[in-house]
């Protein structure tokens, strides 16, 4: 009887060891599967994050090139308008000569449209979490400055167009080849010409203010862009 009990006890001990061994293997397998799954997810997120970084870098480079072009144009407009005011300051030119000189000044409207579609997409989808906190903060600051410049430039263009409507009451300096007042054979008094010339001076001054804003804020955006590029390319 005692021998039978010992046999049963040994059998139970052996079974218990086998069960513990099996359970251990199962637990190790489950933990390994979780670890592999987490590694795969982490690797997937890393690849996705790197793809987003590449797109962000491309956006910043395009935007910087656009700003360089706008700054170059702004400097050209400043020189052209500055040359006219130098001519005006001579003080010995007739009103008609000044109006002719105004008409020859080369400038145009310009707008700044930020290139930050990738960041906008990341913010809307929540994938911006794939970037580091420092990268996110730097990119958001850049986007805020870009949007501010966009608003300021757009507002000034609206003001300039309104001034042009006021000027057109007295002068026809639109880009068309024909002159409205000449076609209708209306000889304007010198007082009206002077009022139109004064309005054109206001327009030139607003254009100069716009170019100054473009240059100053454009350079600020370039500095912020440079910081973003450094963060996005660091290992």
């Amino acid at each position: 009887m005692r021998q039978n009990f010992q046999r049963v006890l040994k059998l139970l001990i052996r079974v218990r060891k086998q069960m513990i061994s099996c359970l251990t293997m199962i637990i190790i397998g489950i933990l390994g599967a979780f670890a592999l799954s987490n590694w795969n997810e982490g690797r997937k997120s890393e690849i996705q994050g790197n793809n987003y970084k590449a797109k962000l870098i491309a956006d910043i480079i395009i935007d910087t090139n656009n700003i360089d072009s706008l700054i170059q144009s702004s400097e050209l407009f400043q020189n052209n308008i500055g040359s006219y005011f130098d001519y005006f300051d001579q003080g010995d030119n007739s009103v008609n000569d000044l109006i002719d000189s105004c008409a020859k000044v080369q400038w145009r409207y310009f707008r700044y449209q930020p290139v930050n579609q990738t960041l906008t997409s990341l913010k809307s989808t929540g994938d911006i979490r794939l970037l580091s906190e420092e990268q996110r903060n730097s990119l958001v600051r850049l986007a805020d400055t870009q949007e501010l410049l966009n608003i300021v430039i757009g507002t000034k263009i609206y003001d300039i167009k309104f001034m042009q409507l006021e000027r057109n009451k007295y002068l026809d300096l639109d880009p068309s080849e024909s002159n409205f007042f000449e076609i209708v054979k209306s000889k304007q008094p010198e007082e009206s010409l002077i009022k139109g010339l004064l309005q054109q001076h206001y327009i030139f001054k607003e254009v100069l203010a716009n170019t100054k804003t473009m240059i100053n804020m454009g350079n600020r955006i370039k500095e912020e862009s440079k910081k973003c590029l450094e963060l996005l390319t660091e290992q």
Side-chain angles (χ1 to χ4, degrees):
M1 185 71 179
R2 185 176 179 182
Q3 290 178 346
N4 290 335
F5 177 77
Q6 288 177 343
R7 286 198 203 97
V8 172
L9 182 60
K10 289 180 180 179
L11 179 61
L12 290 175
I13 291 172
R14 189 181 307 115
V15 171
R16 181 173 177 272
K17 289 181 178 180
Q18 290 176 348
M19 290 180 64
I20 291 174
S21 178
C22 288
L23 287 173
T24 300
M25 294 298 295
I26 292 172
I27 292 172
I28 291 174
I30 293 174
L31 292 176
F34 275 124
L36 180 60
S37 176
N38 289 337
W39 182 86
N40 286 332
E41 284 298 321
R43 180 58 180 162
K44 181 180 177 181
S45 296
E46 181 182 358
I47 293 173
Q48 191 175 17
N50 289 336
N51 289 336
Y52 283 135
K53 288 178 185 178
K55 292 180 180 179
L56 287 166
I57 290 171
D59 282 355
I60 292 173
I61 291 174
I62 294 173
D63 188 72
T64 300
N65 289 337
N66 290 345
I67 287 177
D68 283 336
S69 178
L70 288 172
I71 288 177
Q72 185 178 8
S73 295
S74 296
E75 291 172 343
L76 176 62
F77 301 155
Q78 286 181 342
N79 290 334
N80 293 343
I81 295 174
S83 295
Y84 164 76
F85 279 121
D86 289 341
Y87 177 72
F88 175 82
D89 289 340
Q90 292 175 5
D92 56 355
N93 299 295
S94 68
V95 173
N96 285 325
D97 286 341
L98 291 172
I99 291 173
D100 290 340
S101 182
C102 271
K104 294 175 183 177
V105 175
Q106 293 186 352
W107 68 277
R108 61 174 173 78
Y109 298 120
F110 61 87
R111 291 184 180 274
Y112 167 67
Q113 297 290 342
V115 181
N116 53 17
Q117 292 85 351
T118 302
L119 178 62
T120 301
S121 175
L122 288 175
K123 290 166 69 176
S124 64
T125 61
D127 284 343
I128 195 171
R129 61 183 171 75
L130 297 173
L131 305 175
S132 70
E133 182 178 1
E134 190 175 9
Q135 290 170 339
R136 293 196 301 268
N137 292 338
S138 184
L139 287 166
V140 169
R141 282 194 299 270
L142 172 60
D144 289 343
T145 307
Q146 290 173 324
E147 185 57 28
L148 178 59
L149 178 58
N150 181 28
I151 293 172
V152 171
I153 294 291
T155 301
K156 285 188 177 294
I157 288 177
Y158 175 84
D159 293 339
I160 292 170
K161 288 185 175 181
F162 179 79
M163 290 178 181
Q164 286 180 310
L165 291 176
E166 289 298 308
R167 179 207 63 197
N168 289 346
K169 295 176 182 178
Y170 311 102
L171 291 179
D172 184 0
L173 293 181
D174 286 337
S176 61
E177 295 181 359
S178 60
N179 185 298
F180 173 82
F181 297 106
E182 289 180 356
I183 290 177
V184 298
K185 297 180 174 56
S186 172
K187 187 174 181 180
Q188 296 168 277
E190 186 169 302
E191 183 181 354
S192 293
L193 296 178
I194 292 174
K195 287 181 179 179
L197 182 62
L198 180 59
Q199 285 294 328
Q200 185 60 42
H201 279 207
Y202 291 153
I203 291 170
F204 281 157
K205 289 177 180 179
E206 280 299 307
V207 173
L208 288 175
N210 219 15
T211 58
K212 184 177 180 181
T213 298
M214 183 65 238
I215 292 171
N216 291 341
M217 291 194 67
N219 284 324
R220 177 180 165 188
I221 289 173
K222 287 173 64 177
E223 287 297 319
E224 293 182 8
S225 296
K226 181 180 178 182
K227 177 63 177 177
C228 289
L229 288 175
E230 290 173 352
L231 292 172
L232 290 170
T233 55
E234 67 182 7
Q235 299 297 326

